[in-house]
Amino acid sequence: RVFPRFAAQFFKSSKYEVITTSLVVASVILLGFEMQSLADRQPTHVYDVGNVVFDMIFATDLFFRIFAFGLDFFRGADWRWNMSDFCLILLCLLADFVLLVLDVREASAGRVFRAIRVVRLTRTLRMLRTLRSTREFQKMTFALLSSTKTLLCSLLILFFVMYCFAVLFCMGFVDARAQASDSDTIDGMEEYFGSVPQSLLTLFMATTNGISWHLAFLQLLGTGWVYAILFVAYVVIVLFGVMNVVTSVFVESAVMSAQHYKDILIEEKERAKEVAKTHMVEVFKHIDDDRSGYITTEEMESFFEDPHA
């Protein structure tokens, strides 16, 4: 029983989390080198051996954790993380069996091996388990989750503005196609505003610097100044109006959520103080044998000499 207790304490320590996180990072880096070798059409046998070594290390770690925690491994507070590790390691060991024992190569099971590599890449989620005890990470996560509703509302407003202008510019393309005789102008407009979805994509790319908005402006300029001026108005409204408002509101929401997080921490500290205070009162009541409300030297010595205290 001594070894499982010692192992359980080690698995709960921060040193263990740092070691496992370092191994996960190393395995993901190895996966990146393997992908680069595949892209360069170079052999990957060395990386296959490295993946097997990492899988055996993680499988050994899993075995000792199950041995240390017993059934609590599957029903404890971290049972979701443990089950994800369990399933991930089983899949990786299955891939190693197929690769080494059955000698199935990439050409005959390409999709299977791509799926296994994606599964191995999900090991990076293990780092979240380590970072969750970090105060800054908790603060950022709380701020992001609290600002999700604000972000969705902001995206909805931005989409509504973009959709209205996309319909206008698609309308301009339809009018130009019905009136213009220059096929080059029509082809250029069709590439950017040939449909409502294409117009939405063009506006989104022009807003996020996916393309220079000057290119889309030149295409609309072929239809006349009306749609060109509307496009400039869209750029001004979105870049100087909507985006700044969205950014300010989102930042304000994040700051308020961070302040709320501080308030929660303060409440937790106050609650911990109350628990400690209550525990101390119970201890002093236990020391005060005669219930006089005062603790004498004899009562204190008797308390320290009591092995069951």
Side-chain angles (χ1 to χ4, degrees):
R1 295 183 178 181
V2 177
F3 177 75
R5 189 181 304 111
F6 172 77
Q9 292 177 355
F10 173 72
F11 290 136
K12 292 179 180 179
S13 64
S14 59
K15 293 182 180 179
Y16 167 75
E17 295 294 342
V18 172
I19 293 174
T20 53
T21 301
S22 301
L23 290 173
V24 169
V25 172
S27 66
V28 173
I29 292 175
L30 179 68
L31 182 60
F33 280 103
E34 181 184 2
M35 288 296 99
Q36 184 60 44
S37 297
L38 287 174
D40 296 336
R41 299 183 182 275
Q42 297 178 356
T44 60
H45 302 292
V46 176
Y47 302 109
D48 293 336
V49 176
N51 286 324
V52 172
V53 171
F54 276 113
D55 292 338
M56 295 305 299
I57 293 175
F58 290 125
T60 305
D61 166 65
L62 178 68
F63 171 78
F64 280 108
R65 279 194 290 158
I66 295 176
F67 177 74
F69 294 108
L71 293 178
D72 290 338
F73 180 85
F74 299 100
R75 63 187 183 186
D78 293 332
W79 69 271
R80 294 180 179 86
W81 289 104
N82 296 335
M83 288 302 299
S84 63
D85 290 343
F86 184 80
C87 296
L88 175 62
I89 293 173
L90 283 183
L91 288 175
C92 292
L93 292 178
L94 177 61
D96 297 335
F97 176 79
V98 173
L99 177 65
L100 300 178
V101 179
L102 300 183
D103 195 24
V104 177
R105 308 312 302 170
E106 185 79 14
S108 58
R111 293 183 179 179
V112 175
F113 280 93
R114 282 194 293 271
I116 293 300
R117 291 190 182 100
V118 172
V119 171
R120 282 174 174 159
L121 190 61
T122 57
R123 284 174 177 166
T124 53
L125 297 176
R126 180 69 180 271
M127 290 187 292
L128 298 178
R129 186 174 184 174
T130 304
L131 293 174
R132 64 178 180 173
S133 59
T134 306
R135 183 64 56 84
E136 288 76 13
F137 180 77
Q138 293 178 353
K139 184 177 180 179
M140 291 179 61
T141 304
F142 184 82
L144 288 174
L145 294 177
S146 301
S147 305
T148 301
K149 186 181 296 184
T150 303
L151 177 62
L152 293 177
C153 293
S154 302
L155 292 177
L156 182 62
I157 295 174
L158 181 60
F159 174 79
F160 178 75
V161 174
M162 292 174 59
Y163 178 79
C164 292
F165 279 96
V167 172
L168 284 175
F169 298 143
C170 185
M171 187 185 307
F173 164 73
V174 173
D175 294 339
R177 186 177 57 183
Q179 299 175 5
S181 58
D182 188 357
S183 59
D184 294 336
T185 302
I186 299 302
D187 293 339
M189 286 196 63
E190 187 174 6
E191 180 181 358
Y192 290 95
F193 304 102
S195 63
V196 174
Q198 184 63 42
S199 300
L200 274 172
L201 180 61
T202 299
L203 295 179
F204 177 76
M205 295 176 68
T207 303
T208 57
N209 205 24
I211 61 172
S212 174
W213 64 267
H214 182 254
L215 298 176
F217 171 79
L218 292 178
Q219 299 301 326
L220 289 173
L221 191 60
T223 64
W225 286 99
V226 176
Y227 290 105
I229 293 175
L230 285 175
F231 187 81
V232 174
Y234 162 79
V235 173
V236 172
I237 291 173
V238 172
L239 293 183
F240 297 101
V242 177
M243 295 300 292
N244 286 331
V245 172
V246 168
T247 303
S248 61
V249 172
F250 187 76
V251 170
E252 181 184 7
S253 177
V255 171
M256 292 178 62
S257 63
Q259 182 62 42
H260 181 62
Y261 178 77
K262 292 181 181 179
D263 296 339
I264 293 176
L265 291 180
I266 293 174
E267 291 179 2
E268 291 180 352
K269 290 182 179 179
E270 293 296 331
R271 193 179 300 110
K273 289 181 180 179
E274 291 296 328
V275 172
K277 179 181 177 181
T278 303
H279 178 70
M280 291 299 297
V281 170
E282 293 296 329
V283 171
F284 289 143
K285 286 183 179 179
H286 181 73
I287 297 175
D288 187 14
D289 292 331
D290 56 3
R291 300 294 185 271
S292 62
Y294 299 94
I295 298 177
T296 62
T297 305
E298 292 77 9
E299 291 175 336
M300 183 66 71
E301 292 177 351
S302 175
F303 176 76
F304 285 124
E305 292 175 357
D306 186 1
H308 301 289

